[in-house]
Amino acid sequence: MTVVADLLDRIGPVAAPSKGAAEARAWLDRHGLPDRRDEAWRYTPVPAVVEALAETPPSDAGPVPSGAVPAAIAIDRDLVDRRAGRPDGPRLVVVDGRLAAPLSDLDALPAAVRVGPAGGAPGAPPADGFEALGRVVGGGAVAVDVGPGGDRRLHVVHVATGRSGGAHPALSLHVSAGAAFELIETFVGVGAAAVVNAATRVTAEDGATVGLVRVVAEDDESVHVGRTAVALGRGATLRGTSVLVGGRIARHALDVDAAAPGSHVDVAGLAVPRHHDRHDTVVTVDHAGDDVRSGQIFRVIAADRGRGSFSGHVIVRPGTVGTDADQSSRALLLGPDAQADSRPWLEIFADDVRCTHGATVGRLDDDALFYLRSRGIPAAEARRLLVAAFAAEVVDRIGDTGTREWVEARVRARTVGAG
Amino acid sequence: MLSIHDLTATAGETRILDGVDLDVPAGEVHVVMGPNGAGKSTLANVIAGRDGYEVTGTATLDGVDLLGLTPEERAVRGLFLAFQYPVEIPGVGNAAFLRTALNAHRAARGEPEVAAVDFLGLAREHMARLDIDPAFLSRAVNEGFSGGEKKRNEILQMSLLEPRLAVLDETDSGLDLDALRIVAAGIERLRTPERAMVVITHYPRLLDLVRPDRVHVLAAGRIVTSGGPELVATIEAEGFAPLVGSAVG
Ligand SMILES: Nc1ncnc2c1ncn2[C@@H]1O[C@H](COP(=O)(O)OP(=O)(O)OP(=O)(O)O)[C@@H](O)[C@H]1O
Ligand SMILES: [Mg+2]
């Protein structure tokens, strides 16, 4: 794999080699990075991601590239508040993949929640070549372990400074049987172009209820490829909300392994590409267990020449019964050059399946716009109301008020004047 | 107050309004009747500023040229259109919508915004008078409202915004008798010497409750006959055909 070797030559590894890194390297040599033939990557320009990574010179390469943040930039709590909103409840701050203890509320963690470094031990096979790459480079890893109990929430803010070699944050979350927990991950920059390659792995034991909110709010010139892999135990519930509101390239792959019976998967996503952004969300729900219900709703609001894509991959394994899978995708195009793709991707190998999907692409409703304006509401405000209403189906799922309002503000800022 | 002269409206190749003349002085309630497809809603839409028509002629409100203004500018100058088919807007809360509309009017008058709590009080007051369940405030604008509920919501908006000129497009259609009385009361409350109203209707029943000053018949895009309230009885007895003569088919 000359691409991989060349890339690794430029960007790493920077970490001490571990067993996990060695295995990831072997995986990478076998599988390589995703390419055009890879269906799951159809809507993300992989060469542009590779190029962005390769352009970040090794850390010992001398002068900081123009536009990058000087090494001395002070990332303090104020800056994080300004960039990522102030959540209710405790927050961890991870800078370029490394937990920044002084900025984190490590003393105020919710009951029975433990946070520590994840070892370099081999884990599940990588979801894709970029995750493998992240393990090889050794971007840093945080492990969150959640014991019994309910009603707890932790906010993790990932800050990317545009450091050389990209940021490769990895986070693992383990939620014990019967416990309830919500993880909010937000990804922000500090005004410099950054490349972020983030991997989150979640294990929900039997009967656990896990909320995942993931907001990619990278800076305009940044590139983000991320994935969340979730393994659900018997009767476990996942409520996932994915939001892409930043980055010239932003991708989120959410893979749900529903191998145990009776789990419930409820995921929703919103992408708001503008300028020339490419935003791509790929959700895969693998119904490998019986009586698994899944619902996916997805919304794209595309402005300027932005393009938002959604693939809803549903796999139903042979011999399973009681599968219920719904999918709905709607796109709002705020300009003649905006684009949206919606791809239901169904692989159903069982009979006892109820499966629905629907997709629409539209523009702002002229009748609604006229109705609002006829009440004295200025056109721009009327558009804003309609755009916010379109986003609300996803955004309103974010229970944390601080995070929700921050996302609403970003959606507004990204769509102002469009439509 | 409202003065319309030689107004035409064309959509694509279709001439829908074909030289409408209409004067509605302050303090008066005028009724516009006419067969289906005559152009009544188009007239209302053109006055309110809906796009999609090529318009010629003039329409002024207190001497101000309406046709040169955006819909929102017309609204804050005191024009209100109660829609024949109020639009459902999923995701936009009725309370937020009403408050945003009221504040847009207040901003245009140089008045401060109404705070959310004060607004709720005000809205509840109007809703009580119009016999609208306050629960409607927390629903999306018109979404899932019954036909009659939508019409009441139009009257609620009119009542809150207190327009100087209201155009009611078949607001009485589909209403039960109680609702009709409430709508009539809403109209009467705004019947003051400085306001005026244009009521588009097919039903004399409303006109038993709201006595019009003048009645106009619109057919094939023109006002073909105008008269006093007695014209309603003639129309009821004989239909539009004798009045419109050659103007319709
Ligand atoms: N945008 C348009 N393009 C083409 N034709 C149109 C358009 N809008 C209205 N029309 C036509 O113009 C005519 C008048 O329509 P309008 O809705 O104004 O009638 P109306 O008098 O309100 O009828 P009703 O009593 O049924 O409500 C109709 O024949 C209608 O189909
Ligand atoms: Mg009509």
Side-chain angles (χ1 to χ4, degrees), chain B residues 11 14 16 34-43 52-53 84-85 170 202:
Chain B
T14 316
I16 305 169
N36 293 134
K40 303 181 296 296
S41 293
T42 304
L43 176 62
Y53 308 100
Q84 181 174 2
Y85 304 109
E170 297 200 26
H202 288 294

Side-chain angles (χ1 to χ4, degrees), chain A residues 116-413:
Chain A
D128 57 57
F130 287 107
E131 183 175 11
L133 185 76
R135 290 185 191 178
V136 175
V137 178
V142 177
V144 178
D145 189 78
V146 178
D151 194 27
R152 288 155 302 169
R153 177 183 284 163
L154 182 65
H155 193 124
V156 178
V157 180
H158 295 269
V159 182
T161 64
R163 75 180 277 284
S164 54
H168 304 266
L171 187 144
S172 65
L173 169 67
H174 172 258
V175 181
S176 62
F181 182 72
E182 181 177 58
L183 173 69
I184 301 175
E185 280 188 282
T186 55
F187 294 83
V188 300
V190 291
V195 183
V196 179
N197 173 31
T200 301
R201 293 205 160 252
V202 180
T203 309
E205 303 286 358
D206 293 353
T209 300
V210 179
L212 298 176
V213 174
R214 191 176 191 283
V215 183
V216 174
E218 307 284 7
D219 291 327
D220 279 351
E221 294 311 317
S222 295
V223 170
H224 180 110
V225 287
R227 77 283 302 155
T228 306
V230 184
L232 293 178
R234 177 183 286 265
T237 297
L238 168 68
R239 186 176 161 82
T241 305
S242 165
V243 178
L244 303 179
V245 283
R248 70 181 164 89
I249 297 173
R251 181 181 193 269
H252 181 216
L254 172 61
D255 295 333
V256 185
D257 175 8
S263 62
H264 181 202
V265 179
D266 165 19
V267 297
L270 170 70
V272 191
R274 61 166 178 182
H275 301 163
H276 285 81
D277 299 344
R278 297 286 297 268
H279 287 184
D280 183 19
T281 308
V282 182
V283 175
T284 303
V285 181
D286 189 345
H287 293 249
D290 290 343
D291 302 312
V292 173
R293 279 180 298 146
S294 72
Q296 304 180 21
I297 69 164
F298 203 80
R299 304 290 179 257
V300 166
I301 303 171
D304 310 322
R305 293 176 174 277
R307 178 169 179 182
S309 312
F310 169 62
S311 304
H313 191 182
V314 171
I315 304 167
V316 183
R317 299 285 169 180
T320 53
V321 296
T323 297
D324 198 322
D326 295 314
Q327 200 178 104
S328 118
S329 156
R330 286 172 58 204
L332 176 62
L333 302 182
L334 297 178
D337 300 316
Q339 285 185 70
D341 313 282
S342 166
R343 181 169 56 141
W345 179 9
L346 311 177
E347 293 185 273
I348 298 175
F349 305 111
D351 298 325
D352 183 13
V353 176
R354 201 192 66 86
C355 184
T356 66
H357 61 89
T360 62
V361 178
R363 298 186 181 274
L364 280 182
D365 178 358
D366 281 339
D367 290 340
L369 214 46
F370 176 60
Y371 189 73
L372 295 171
R373 296 177 70 189
S374 78
R375 274 30 176 168
I377 299 174
E381 173 82 353
R383 279 192 201 96
R384 190 189 66 69
L385 280 171
L386 295 178
V387 168
F390 190 86
E393 266 181 283
V394 176
V395 175
D396 284 353
R397 293 163 54 101
I398 304 174
D400 176 65
T401 308
T403 305
R404 188 180 57 249
E405 289 177 351
W406 172 68
V407 168
E408 283 168 350
R410 271 197 86 97
V411 171
R412 197 179 315 139

Side-chain angles (χ1 to χ4, degrees), chain B residues 100-121:
Chain B
T100 307
L102 182 62
N103 281 333
H105 279 73
R106 294 176 64 95
R109 293 193 295 259
E111 294 168 12
E113 291 204 338
V114 223
V117 270
D118 298 337
F119 170 75
L120 279 184

